[in-house]
Amino acid sequence: MDSIIVTGNGPLAGQVPIAGAKNACLTLMPATLLSEEPLTLTNAPRLSDIATMTALLQSLGAEVTSMQGGQVLAMSSHALDNHVADYEIVRKMRASNLVLGPLLARLGHAVVSLPGGCAIGARPMDLHIAALEALGAEIELKEGYLHAVARGGLKGAVHEMRFASVGATENAMMAATLAKGTTVLKNVAREPEIVDLATCLRRMGAQIEGDGSSEIIIEGVDRLHGATHPVVTDRIELGTYMLAPAICGGEVECLGGRADLLGAFCERLDSAGITVSETEKGLKVSRRNGRVSAVDVTTEPFPGFPTDLQAQMMALMCTAEGTSVLQEKIFENRFMHAPELIRMGADIEVQGGTARVRGVERLKGAPVMATDLRASVSLILAGLAAEGETIVNRVYHLDRGYERVEEKLSALGARIERVSGQ
Ligand code: EPZ
């Protein structure tokens, strides 16, 4: 297993290109199952999760060709010959469950393994099941697999979600595009990835409106045609790289960055003493004073503070002036980076979903363990600002969501290298 060695090396400077969004691409790829015609995605990120989704779609009989070094994905599901998403793939990546809605809509049946829990929480699928049952699906759990059938096809319905689940919204949207009649989905997720999926589906001929708000209305159509769609910028990679000059000092321009993708994140940065300015190429970020100020953070569905940036923000707060209270409201166990940051000298007290962080002048480098995708990169950020050397182990977590992280950070002046494991 590879490790990454980071040595604190002072302020950063330069430009960093922001890739296409992993969490948009992982729902755009299954959308190919909705049509017999080709769907091509451009600006796709080069990540191991994309490779996993590629393997899953190919196991269903779809063709997926990666071009231009992975930035273009040419897909076609003209002839699907399998409707089972196997546990071996789904357990590796929960987003595999996003084939459920499209398979149901296209074939009228699907068998998808329950993903099982993961490091950050139980992550059940009850909201996905409730939404698809509202559209007429019959879903039964048998030996760890969801067996879903839509006798006579899916039918439009009005359905209110108990919670604005991103994945359940995506599964329901994709299923509803081919349902008979009108579907009204209430209390849905409003994330930019939802808007990106709706934009792509409209390009394929779907009739969808209200995406980005809490209520989406979909007029079912008989079939969808092919399209080409650019994956939206990754707001989580963007937020992560914005925190690099915040924690190290200096000034960094994030190419392709857009403030409208970030919700409450920018306001929190401003309150902490970080200046974000829009340029023609993206967002320029710098620290106003020598040390950031502690601010409180509560994670919420978009446009609230993103849970996927909580770990990275905690790393920043470890070196802030004052005490910060971070509340994780989306997942039940998303503070696993805290014990690793404490090994680096951070002063953090975790109680349930609340972490109290008292800022220290300087963190100290140490060997630390990555536990999940966003925790991994928070340790890299901490290492950038720490005194001495930090070795982050198990970086396969990192490769799921960040392309070429050591190259991108080295180009900004960071001292960082990857060491291949045995
Ligand atoms: C998406 O996961 C993202 N993944 C996650 O990013 C992100 O953290 C999450 O949305 C929240 O923004 C992708 O888009 C591939 P949810 P998803 O359904 O759809 C509970 C990353 O680091 N829930 O909005 O699985 C669930 O347990 C990843 O890139 C149910 O109870 O998230 C969680 O506590 C991590 N029942 C909460 O809702 C359900 O049926 C939010 O989950 C579904 C979810």
Side-chain angles (χ1 to χ4, degrees), residues 72-309:
V72 174
L73 297 171
M75 303 178 291
S76 165
S77 59
H78 177 69
L80 294 177
D81 55 17
N82 174 27
H83 64 281
V84 180
D86 192 85
Y87 176 60
E88 276 317 304
I89 295 185
V90 179
R91 73 180 177 81
K92 268 199 305 184
M93 185 181 68
R94 174 185 171 82
S96 310
N97 64 17
L98 294 172
V99 302
L100 178 56
L103 282 176
L104 254 184
R106 171 82 181 276
L107 301 178
H109 55 258
V111 177
V112 174
S113 168
L114 272 182
C118 78
I120 59 178
R123 303 181 78 180
M125 279 190 62
D126 56 313
L127 301 173
H128 298 245
I129 292 165
L132 294 172
E133 285 180 337
L135 296 174
E138 292 162 44
I139 301 179
E140 202 186 342
L141 176 63
K142 277 191 270 187
E143 292 157 24
Y145 282 78
L146 292 177
H147 291 253
V149 176
R151 296 185 209 290
L154 296 171
K155 292 170 191 61
V158 177
H159 175 68
E160 179 156 1
M161 292 200 175
R162 169 174 64 80
F163 172 80
S165 152
V166 170
T169 302
E170 292 162 346
N171 255 327
M173 278 169 70
M174 290 190 280
T177 58
L178 295 178
K180 290 184 188 61
T182 306
T183 296
V184 180
L185 299 172
K186 296 174 179 251
N187 192 32
V188 293
R190 299 170 52 193
E191 275 70 2
E193 293 74 36
I194 302 291
V195 175
D196 203 41
L197 174 61
T199 304
C200 177
L201 292 169
R202 277 191 285 267
R203 281 204 169 101
M204 296 170 73
Q207 292 180 27
I208 300 178
E209 56 186 45
D211 44 291
S213 79
S214 297
E215 183 168 305
I216 293 179
I217 301 171
I218 298 171
E219 205 58 55
V221 294
D222 293 337
R223 57 187 298 281
L224 295 181
H225 51 71
T228 296
H229 177 78
V231 178
V232 69
T233 301
D234 191 321
R235 62 193 170 96
I236 306 304
E237 187 192 29
L238 169 62
T240 303
Y241 284 114
M242 289 169 73
L243 287 170
I247 203 167
C248 295
E251 182 175 82
V252 169
E253 185 176 24
C254 298
L255 304 180
R258 286 169 34 196
D260 67 305
L261 296 173
L262 293 166
F265 178 72
C266 282
E267 181 281 320
R268 291 289 77 197
L269 289 193
D270 182 55
S271 303
I274 295 144
T275 299
V276 178
S277 47
E278 300 205 60
T279 67
E280 288 130 60
K281 294 182 186 162
L283 295 178
K284 195 169 274 189
V285 185
S286 59
R287 218 164 48 181
R288 280 199 289 275
N289 319 307
R291 200 172 164 200
V292 298
S293 310
V295 293
D296 293 344
V297 169
T298 300
T299 64
E300 295 169 306
F302 193 87
F305 191 100
T307 175
D308 292 349
L309 285 170

Side-chain angles (χ1 to χ4, degrees), residues 34-53:
L34 291 166
S35 170
E36 293 184 7
E37 296 180 20
L39 173 62
T40 298
L41 299 177
T42 58
N43 193 37
R46 288 156 286 199
L47 302 168
S48 57
D49 268 10
I50 304 307
T52 303
M53 181 60 80

Side-chain angles (χ1 to χ4, degrees), residues 6-10 12 244 247-248 379-386 409 414-415:
V6 194
T7 307
N9 191 35
L12 301 175
I247 203 167
C248 295
L379 299 173
I380 299 266
L381 288 173
L384 289 175
L409 286 172
R415 268 181 66 190

